[in-house]
Amino acid sequence: MNVLVTGGAGFIGSHIVDALVERNHTVTVIDSLDPAAHDGPPEWMNPNATWRLGPASGEARSADVAEEATWDGALEGIDAVCHQAAKVGLGVDLTDAPAYAINNDLGTARMLAAMSASGWGGRIVLASSMVVYGEGRYACPDHGIVAPLPRRSDDLDADRWEPRCPTCRRELTTGLVPEDAAIDPRNVYAATKAHQEHLCGAASAELGTVTTALRYHNVYGPRMPRDTPYAGVASIFRSQLANGRPPQVFEDGGQRRDFVHVSDVAAANIAALERPVPYAGALNVASGHPFTLLDMARTMAAEDGRGLEPTVVGGYRIGDVRHVTADANLARSVLGFEAQVQPADGLAAFVHEPLRRPPAR
């Protein structure tokens, strides 16, 4: 199979490229080498893939998926597109909103427009995210499954962390969120990931394409970016430990997440690309073994071995959510995918694994 991987120089994309090459697929990569994430071409570029990179590599051609020129001829001979290119993370504040919209929304729209113009009709595997759900699955003893209201700063300032029932204000119990849960993006990044899913879905009838949207939960592993506000919490804790500082945990540390190793995420992409009949719809990609952020920080600090006990510092990010953990059964049923790396093992190993060099400031 000839596969085009957008964002293939990045953290997750590069692992997908390696997995595709290992399985003897023909791989072409487009990556802009966004300076917010890269300080140049990464050292892990697979020599058996064809690379088209951004200006940091010295190339004159555009490799930015949001630029129309990037797509000129890019789909010729391509059987499937693995669309990983995106601006990720919560960012700094709303001044980041245009960059998220350009990279994620416009980049996907340019891709779909190029598919339409060229008559391309292969399969798309889209990197989506658990952030589209907003808060996870909650139940009220009296009102059943409910969607809690957005978290309020007055509650958070008073250390009232747990969402409550929007009807009776009782404390809720948490569960695993399935793919048919209503989406409720609660920050700019989340909104753009939902937009990507909707754009691909809206285009499917005209293009004759099928999109499998893989909703990644909290991905970690080697090649994560370091020392950037766009990195995930695993990278932030890893960087703090590397700098001889104890992990700093927001709120009370009780936030629950599902941490999935990047090798498992790559395997899920391979399974979606190689499925004889492509699956149309969204699938959670998760380990199935939730952790609290404090337990995660303790696991990593214990492996570090220098007695850097995590510090619960309170505080919060208003666009963040309290709990979101996945029901992983549908991906198991549809793709035969089941995560192989247990978070306790993977997070301990991650303490010793290399991170991506910090981008230039």
Side-chain angles (χ1 to χ4, degrees):
M1 182 186 296
N2 290 341
V3 183
L4 173 65
V5 182
T6 69
F11 164 43
I12 297 173
S14 64
H15 286 274
I16 295 170
V17 170
D18 288 347
L20 285 166
V21 168
E22 184 177 346
R23 295 180 67 83
N24 296 315
H25 295 291
T26 301
V27 182
T28 302
V29 177
I30 292 176
D31 197 301
S32 68
L33 296 182
D34 183 347
H38 294 275
D39 67 348
E43 62 271 20
W44 54 70
M45 288 170 52
N46 193 303
N48 294 309
T50 299
W51 295 83
R52 179 174 170 185
L53 301 174
S57 68
E59 285 197 22
R61 293 190 304 167
S62 173
D64 185 340
V65 294
E67 296 289 340
E68 185 176 3
T70 299
W71 293 99
D72 185 22
L75 296 166
E76 292 178 9
I78 296 297
D79 301 307
V81 175
C82 190
H83 188 37
Q84 305 295 313
K87 190 174 186 67
V88 301
L90 284 182
V92 177
D93 53 39
L94 279 175
T95 61
D96 282 329
Y100 280 102
I102 290 168
N103 283 275
N104 302 356
D105 295 355
L106 181 58
T108 301
R110 290 287 192 204
M111 176 185 76
L112 295 170
M115 290 173 177
S116 179
S118 64
W120 189 86
R123 74 174 71 189
I124 302 169
V125 175
L126 172 68
S128 188
S129 172
M130 56 86 176
V131 297
V132 301
Y133 296 120
E135 289 286 352
R137 173 59 60 96
Y138 291 89
C140 171
D142 293 331
H143 298 99
I145 300 298
V146 297
L149 297 172
R151 303 171 85 191
R152 303 186 315 189
S153 57
D154 57 341
D155 283 333
L156 301 175
D157 288 338
D159 297 345
R160 293 189 292 266
W161 308 118
E162 296 296 338
R164 293 183 176 271
C165 176
T167 302
C168 67
R169 301 294 293 168
R170 290 186 66 178
E171 192 167 318
L172 303 172
T173 58
T174 63
L176 302 178
V177 62
E179 289 85 351
D180 61 1
I183 66 171
D184 183 20
R186 297 193 174 192
N187 56 61
V188 171
Y189 171 58
T192 63
K193 298 312 286 185
H195 297 164
Q196 286 185 298
E197 288 193 23
H198 289 159
L199 284 167
C200 289
S204 62
E206 177 183 334
L207 298 177
T209 56
V210 173
T211 298
T212 306
L214 300 180
R215 291 176 177 168
Y216 305 156
H217 284 249
N218 290 71
V219 188
Y220 70 96
R223 305 178 188 171
M224 280 192 89
R226 57 171 292 182
D227 300 328
T228 165
Y230 307 98
V233 65
S235 174
I236 292 170
F237 289 169
R238 167 74 171 77
S239 295
Q240 289 169 342
L241 288 167
N243 292 327
R245 298 171 53 211
Q248 307 290 292
V249 185
F250 283 175
E251 301 186 17
D252 63 352
Q255 309 94 304
R256 295 174 73 245
R257 297 290 189 270
D258 188 306
F259 293 94
V260 58
H261 195 269
V262 67
S263 63
D264 285 321
V265 174
N269 276 269
I270 297 298
L273 288 163
E274 293 184 343
R275 190 175 191 266
V277 177
Y279 177 78
L283 297 169
N284 287 328
V285 176
S287 73
H289 297 276
F291 256 48
T292 68
L293 295 195
L294 183 55
D295 283 342
M296 172 198 182
R298 285 171 172 162
T299 296
M300 296 177 68
E303 178 65 24
D304 177 81
R306 288 181 288 171
L308 299 170
E309 187 66 22
T311 303
V312 176
V313 297
Y316 59 88
R317 297 184 296 180
I318 194 64
D320 213 342
V321 299
R322 180 62 176 175
H323 306 297
V324 54
T325 55
D327 183 334
N329 286 320
L330 187 57
R332 184 181 303 113
S333 173
V334 168
L335 300 181
F337 167 74
E338 189 165 4
Q340 299 301 302
V341 181
Q342 298 297 310
D345 298 328
L347 289 167
F350 180 54
V351 171
H352 307 290
E353 290 172 335
L355 299 182
R356 185 190 310 167
R357 298 187 303 265
R361 298 294 185 187

